[in-house]
Amino acid sequence: MHIRLLDARFDDPARRAYPDAQQRAYSRLGHGAMTRYGSTDARTTLDPPSCLAAFDDEGGLVGGIRIHRRVAGRLPSEIHLASEEFDRALADELTAGESVAEVCGLWVESDWSGRHLAALLVVVATVTAQKLGATVVCGSCAAERVRAYEWCGYRFGLDHPLSDRPFPGVTSYYSIDKAENVRRREERLTEAMTLLDRALDRAPCISDDVARAASDRLGLRLFAGPQLSATAR
């Protein structure tokens, strides 16, 4: 298994295949419209997102996560949360001169469920967002997934529950934080992200051995045991 950054600037066959693979993963869980906020909505694709894609040993796509820079367009959470509170918090960061990226669109193929790949993808995405120039990372997720994301260093405004438009009746929360705060939140995160950072300095790819080493630092046994849900946004 390896994880590769799919750059929007290049005509990469894997990049073209990525949205369909993500959509299939969501559709199997009954979320057939989820990719529209980040993959096809003109307001978010105005700033073409970068994708981290996980591949098995045969080269098949088995999971991924998107990273949206906030430059000319809007972030997925700006649209599907439609929250004045989120928008104000985001505007405060932009006014302060921060560069913001949203980490979202996490998915893992069902055959890879239970292998900790999703948690690893979230951590890699934070490091990659910094590599792409972001100083602040943000995102949103449904209430039942907050604990899993917080294990990856994110913190959510639990005193401000929000309704999530794609899922009527579902409560979501948002996180906006300095990327360095996420990185320094716990020693295990700092150590794992340092390993990943060095690997990404060499190439836009996380090899199997680096993925396993980072997972060890995180306290995971890669590809064994329960994992973060595949449908967090």
Side-chain angles (χ1 to χ4, degrees):
M1 191 281 298
H2 67 279
I3 299 170
R4 183 156 59 90
L5 178 62
L6 306 180
D7 196 309
R9 295 173 298 172
F10 302 108
D11 185 20
D12 186 330
R15 170 82 187 196
R16 295 196 301 271
Y18 183 96
D20 289 338
Q22 180 189 34
Q23 185 66 69
R24 286 193 300 270
Y26 282 145
S27 295
R28 280 193 293 271
L29 297 171
H31 308 319
M34 278 309 300
T35 60
R36 74 172 182 264
Y37 292 96
S39 299
T40 60
D41 191 295
R43 293 167 292 182
T44 60
T45 57
L46 191 61
D47 301 315
S50 297
C51 300
L52 283 170
F55 299 86
D56 62 20
D57 292 340
E58 287 72 46
L61 273 166
V62 295
I65 194 167
R66 296 191 311 268
I67 303 166
H68 291 258
R69 294 288 308 282
R70 175 59 151 80
V71 183
R74 302 182 71 190
L75 298 175
S77 286
E78 289 182 82
I79 299 167
H80 72 72
L81 288 179
S83 162
E84 292 183 4
E85 179 184 346
F86 177 81
D87 291 351
R88 283 196 301 270
L90 177 64
D92 287 345
E93 298 292 352
L94 295 171
T95 299
E98 302 291 349
S99 176
V100 180
E102 178 167 2
V103 172
C104 63
L106 175 64
W107 65 278
V108 171
E109 284 285 2
S110 56
D111 289 349
W112 282 66
S113 178
R115 306 191 194 190
H116 296 295
L117 176 57
L120 180 62
L121 282 167
V122 174
V123 175
V124 176
T126 304
V127 177
T128 305
Q130 285 189 287
K131 289 290 186 189
L132 295 173
T135 58
V136 167
V137 289
C138 69
S140 62
C141 69
E144 63 268 22
R145 300 186 186 100
V146 164
R147 185 175 178 182
Y149 266 86
E150 291 200 329
W151 190 90
C152 298
Y154 288 75
R155 293 295 180 266
F156 294 82
L158 299 181
D159 52 339
H160 297 291
L162 301 168
S163 59
D164 201 328
R165 291 171 59 193
F167 301 105
V170 170
T171 298
S172 286
Y173 298 92
Y174 74 85
S175 171
I176 296 181
D177 203 353
K178 300 289 191 295
E180 279 299 311
N181 290 346
V182 177
R183 180 186 286 262
R184 306 296 177 190
R185 191 139 275 144
E186 295 183 37
E187 184 177 355
R188 62 181 176 83
L189 290 166
T190 303
E191 292 181 354
M193 290 185 181
T194 298
L195 281 176
L196 296 167
D197 205 25
R198 290 170 181 165
L200 290 170
D201 279 340
R202 296 190 295 270
C205 182
I206 301 297
S207 63
D208 182 84
D209 60 332
V210 173
R212 291 177 185 275
S215 295
D216 287 344
R217 298 296 196 283
L218 290 168
L220 300 174
R221 291 184 59 199
L222 189 59
F223 311 149
Q227 62 130 38
L228 182 62
S229 172
T231 57
R233 294 176 296 284

